[in-house]
Amino acid sequence: MARSVPITTHYENANRLHLALLKRFDETFALSHKVLRRTDPANVQLMSSAVRRLYLAFRDLKPFIGDQSVSNTAIKIRGIADALGEIRYQDMAILALEEVAPQTPRQFAQTIQQFIETRKKIRRRSRQLLERVLVTLGKIIVRAEFEKTGIVTAHETRITRRRRPASSLKNLAASIIQSHLSEFEKCSTLLNESPQFMSLVAMDSATQRLLYAIELFSDCWTSNVQLFSRSLTNLQRALTKVSDCDTLIKEIRREILESKKTGLQGTRRTFVVLFAQFSELRNFHLDESLALWNAWESDQLSSQLRKTITRSI
């Protein structure tokens, strides 16, 4: 997973905060060459995480960033993130199916291979789409748009331009993290309400937002926040695997229904077997997610995080 570069307390100056985001922008798009020139899933994962971090940083800091062009930039970055997300998912699906294939009866091999080839075709189209998106938007153009913007000073708001009490970067960071922490705790109820039947996408997204905000502002506090980042990283990885399994299971279920309509019994049996295998894999990752969440709760990390970010404000 791509590591973010923290915005340090030295960036309390608005211009320096602006430069910090530009630096993150450059580091993110430096990965695009590897993604387009090579098919290594690791490169896609790295850029997908980096773009997601960049997008969420824009979103968190939007009230403190200058004009409308920032929103336009964020929308374009979201488009890149969506294209990368589709490639990452197909990479995952192909690898997972290739691992499962040897464990299934030989008579199902041809159908599974056809399913894998379909995923590869979708991945190729997605890579072509990503290339068009990157070429159409153009890193230089998008960066130039953002360079024109500025960070609104601490005692000013973008909407009203009215004077307000000065607020340090630490105050801003604490406010953002507390907001994400509350949403994270709210979404965690999904893990306790028959999660085997529910999508955990909301929990996954909330965990990402909290994790990336902590990483973004980690240097605002002298105390170590790595404990929180490490726990959230493990939880987010497990939740993403559950969500990936959910998406793949949905596709397999669709194939089962289609084969039932066409009367292809052999094809249907193949997908029934795949359904059972990936349902079992989902349950494994779900149990992992539950264990990690229970560890977060038993260690009272939410309370500890709140104390850490509100200290010395």
Side-chain angles (χ1 to χ4, degrees):
M1 184 177 290
R3 283 188 59 81
S4 63
V5 177
I7 293 177
T8 71
T9 49
H10 294 144
Y11 294 138
E12 301 240 8
N13 177 282
N15 291 329
R16 290 193 176 187
L17 179 54
H18 190 233
L19 290 173
L21 288 176
L22 284 173
K23 182 179 180 180
R24 177 163 296 187
F25 185 100
D26 291 337
E27 290 171 343
T28 298
F29 282 88
L31 296 165
S32 62
H33 300 291
K34 291 183 179 180
V35 170
L36 294 177
R37 292 176 185 175
R38 304 173 189 173
T39 57
D40 184 357
N43 291 324
V44 174
Q45 177 65 43
L46 283 171
M47 187 171 180
S48 180
S49 296
V51 170
R52 181 73 175 164
R53 279 182 168 88
L54 180 63
Y55 171 74
L56 291 176
F58 269 80
R59 200 174 78 164
D60 281 341
L61 294 169
K62 183 179 176 181
F64 301 87
I65 299 177
D67 54 37
Q68 180 61 33
S69 62
V70 172
S71 295
N72 296 334
T73 302
I75 291 171
K76 292 173 182 177
I77 291 172
R78 178 60 185 268
I80 296 170
D82 289 344
L84 280 163
E86 179 61 29
I87 298 171
R88 187 206 64 79
Y89 167 71
Q90 296 303 335
D91 281 338
M92 179 285 306
I94 291 165
L95 289 172
L97 288 164
E98 289 176 342
E99 288 180 4
V100 163
Q103 304 169 26
T104 57
R106 293 184 63 182
Q107 65 264 34
F108 300 147
Q110 184 177 357
T111 302
I112 294 175
Q113 189 57 43
Q114 289 173 347
F115 194 50
I116 290 173
E117 290 303 317
T118 300
R119 310 266 72 70
K120 289 181 178 179
K121 288 179 182 178
I122 295 173
R123 183 176 63 180
R124 282 195 293 271
R125 290 198 298 268
S126 298
R127 291 185 71 87
Q128 291 168 357
L129 173 62
L130 174 64
E131 187 170 7
R132 287 198 299 271
V133 168
L134 288 172
V135 170
T136 301
L137 297 181
K139 174 204 164 185
I140 296 175
I141 295 174
V142 177
R143 192 184 193 283
E145 285 183 355
F146 182 48
E147 276 186 318
K148 295 176 185 176
T149 69
I151 306 296
V152 179
T153 54
H155 55 267
E156 191 176 26
T157 66
R158 181 171 59 84
I159 298 174
T160 64
R161 299 296 183 187
R162 291 177 182 171
R163 294 281 176 175
R164 292 189 177 181
S167 177
S168 70
L169 181 59
K170 184 183 287 189
N171 288 46
L172 166 63
S175 174
I176 290 172
I177 291 173
Q178 287 198 74
S179 175
H180 290 322
L181 178 57
S182 296
E183 185 64 22
F184 169 72
E185 291 171 324
K186 180 181 177 182
C187 289
S188 70
T189 58
L190 292 172
L191 284 171
N192 300 313
E193 296 177 358
S194 302
Q196 63 270 32
F197 304 116
M198 300 180 68
S199 169
L200 297 178
V201 172
M203 179 67 177
D204 187 11
S205 297
T207 306
Q208 275 191 26
R209 289 192 291 269
L210 177 58
L211 169 62
Y212 294 168
I214 291 172
E215 291 179 341
L216 182 65
F217 296 111
S218 62
D219 282 359
C220 286
W221 293 276
T222 56
S223 56
N224 191 354
V225 294
Q226 294 306 310
L227 170 63
F228 309 112
S229 296
R230 190 161 52 248
S231 297
L232 290 169
T233 296
N234 292 334
L235 176 58
Q236 192 264 318
R237 285 174 179 167
L239 287 167
T240 296
K241 289 175 182 177
V242 174
S243 297
D244 285 342
C245 285
D246 282 340
T247 304
L248 189 52
I249 288 169
K250 185 178 180 180
E251 290 187 43
I252 292 171
R253 186 183 288 114
R254 190 183 305 122
E255 294 290 341
I256 292 173
L257 294 174
E258 188 63 29
S259 60
K260 189 175 181 179
K261 291 178 184 177
T262 57
L264 298 174
Q265 293 301 317
T267 300
R268 184 170 180 271
R269 282 196 297 271
T270 302
F271 285 110
V272 167
V273 169
L274 288 178
F275 181 88
Q277 288 177 314
F278 281 103
S279 294
E280 184 178 349
L281 183 62
R282 180 195 190 271
N283 288 336
F284 172 81
H285 293 309
L286 178 58
D287 288 343
E288 182 185 13
S289 300
L290 282 166
L292 290 166
W293 167 249
N294 288 334
W296 175 279
E297 280 199 311
S298 63
D299 292 340
Q300 299 183 330
L301 293 185
S302 288
S303 176
Q304 289 186 46
L305 178 56
R306 282 193 173 89
K307 289 178 181 178
T308 297
I309 63 176
T310 55
R311 191 176 297 131
S312 302
I313 290 182

